[in-house]
């Protein structure tokens, strides 16, 4: 090897210390001068020059370092993890990563201690590294939940690309009762995001349905097709204090893609604002119903059956229900086939929010007073009955 007078490095960019260690090992047959400071380069030279016995000695040296890692020593944990990731990313060798994962996961709280500290800034972490960390946490998914809660709290609840990357990979399969408050805290932070994009909203709805599960979905008292409370406690609706602004939101929001979601947004606003005939700041008149009707017509949405609206828009809401019933563009007398939706957990966010369309509902049929567990898909597209 030849010294580069400009960089102070030998040959292919290796340091003088690493080259000397490698050369002495080649002559003596033993890697005596390997250390933490030159390990990466000596190990890399072993692979570059295909010296199998040096590669083997480097592996054994790294294994010895990994085996002595302590639960509360972040410096030791960081060193072996970053060396393992260097091997994985640069040399496409995974054996070092497997050593680290095995060691960290066998030490009680080691994974939690390392991951929460290492991911104190998620945004700077490469996706390949996140994949390894997600694999490392395994069934201890609550560790990732804690990381996300901390990150969202420190970054004004903004879903940046790396936060989204982790959120999209949560499974909620290993949720334990002891960690339920942590999961709920994450959901609360996601629900509090101001002005979420359409993609953010789809992601959040998907996470909510996976986190809470079908068992916590709300059954419908009526037998009409029903979308339960997608906009409950939705921050953008919370900031609206009059029907004019609500109408503008429904008209322009990319989240409102069909009649069902439209009525859900109206209901959730009325309910969350505790609007009834006594509410002073809401005065319902026919012009608002006309405005709502024009929005539905311009977007090409179909009117919905009377029984659906009776469930969604309670009669106490300032007479709004009665006015809707008088508008042929908003209601049809067509009857449903006694179908009901048990929970939005049966639907993907894409099925609800992908574009302007009618929802392909997955119904459960009433059979002798009981639900038949076999699900069927129906295209619910209700038109005005012109023959009535």
């Amino acid at each position: 090897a030849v010294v580069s007078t400009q960089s102070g490095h030998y040959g292919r960019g290796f340091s003088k210390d690493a080259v000397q260690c490698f050369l002495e090992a080649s002559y003596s047959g033993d890697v005596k001068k390997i250390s933490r400071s030159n390990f990466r380069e000596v190990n890399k030279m072993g692979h570059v020059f295909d010296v199998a016995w040096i590669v083997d000695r480097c592996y054994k040296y790294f294994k010895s370092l990994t085996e002595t890692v302590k639960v509360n020593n972040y410096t030791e944990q960081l060193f072996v993890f970053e060396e393992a990731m260097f091997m994985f990313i640069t040399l496409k060798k995974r054996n070092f990563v497997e050593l680290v994962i095995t060691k960290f996961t066998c030490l009680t709280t080691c994974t939690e201690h390392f991951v929460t500290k290492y991911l104190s800034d998620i945004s700077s972490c490469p996706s390949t590294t996140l994949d390894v960390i997600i694999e490392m946490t395994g069934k201890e998914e609550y560790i990732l939940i804690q990381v996300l809660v901390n990150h969202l709290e420190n970054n004004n609840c903004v879903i940046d690309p790396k936060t989204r990357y982790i959120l999209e990979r949560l499974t909620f399969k290993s949720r334990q009762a002891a960690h339920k408050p942590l999961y709920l805290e994450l959901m609360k932070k996601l629900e509090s995001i101001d002005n979420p994009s359409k993609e953010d909203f789809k992601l959040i709805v998907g996470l909510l349905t996976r986190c809470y599960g079908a068992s916590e979905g709300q059954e419908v008292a009526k037998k009409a097709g029903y979308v339960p409370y997608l906009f409950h406690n939705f921050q953008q609706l919370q900031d609206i204090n009059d029907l004019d602004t609500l109408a503008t939101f429904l008209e322009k929001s990319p989240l409102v893609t069909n009649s069902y979601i439209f009525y859900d947004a109206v209901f959730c606003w009325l309910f969350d604002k505790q609007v009834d005939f006594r509410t002073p700041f809401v005065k319902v008149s026919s012009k608002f119903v006309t405005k709502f009707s024009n929005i539905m017509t311009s977007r090409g949405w179909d009117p919905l059956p009377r029984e659906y609206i009776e469930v969604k828009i309670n009669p106490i809401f300032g007479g709004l229900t009665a006015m809707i019933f008088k508008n042929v563009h908003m209601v049809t007398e067509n009857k449903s086939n006694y179908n009901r939706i048990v929970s939005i957990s049966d639907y993907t966010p894409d099925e609800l929010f992908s574009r302007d369309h009618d929802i392909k509902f997955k119904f459960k049929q009433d059979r002798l007073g009981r639900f038949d567990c076999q699900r069927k898909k129906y295209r619910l597209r209700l038109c005005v009955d012109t023959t009535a």
Side-chain angles (χ1 to χ4, degrees), residues 47 80 92 166 177 184 203 278 284 291 318 335 351 375:
H47 285 84
V80 296
K92 312 303 180 186
I166 298 177
L184 295 178
L203 175 63
R278 295 166 301 197
V284 179
K291 193 169 187 176
K335 302 295 183 180
E351 287 177 303
R375 296 178 183 174

Side-chain angles (χ1 to χ4, degrees), residues 145 149 172 175-192 208 211-212 216:
I145 302 297
V149 168
F172 302 99
R175 185 177 63 173
Q176 300 175 3
H179 302 128
K180 185 176 180 179
L182 192 58
Y183 281 79
L184 295 178
E185 187 176 358
L186 174 62
M187 295 303 110
K188 185 176 180 180
K189 288 192 178 300
L190 292 174
E191 290 172 350
S192 69
L208 288 170
C211 180
Y212 295 131
E216 297 181 45

Side-chain angles (χ1 to χ4, degrees), residues 76-94:
E76 293 178 353
Q77 296 165 8
L78 181 62
F79 177 80
V80 296
F81 181 78
E82 291 196 332
E83 293 306 313
M85 290 309 304
F86 175 82
M87 284 290 292
F88 185 40
I89 294 172
T90 307
L91 301 178
K92 312 303 180 186
K93 303 292 184 181
R94 186 178 158 80

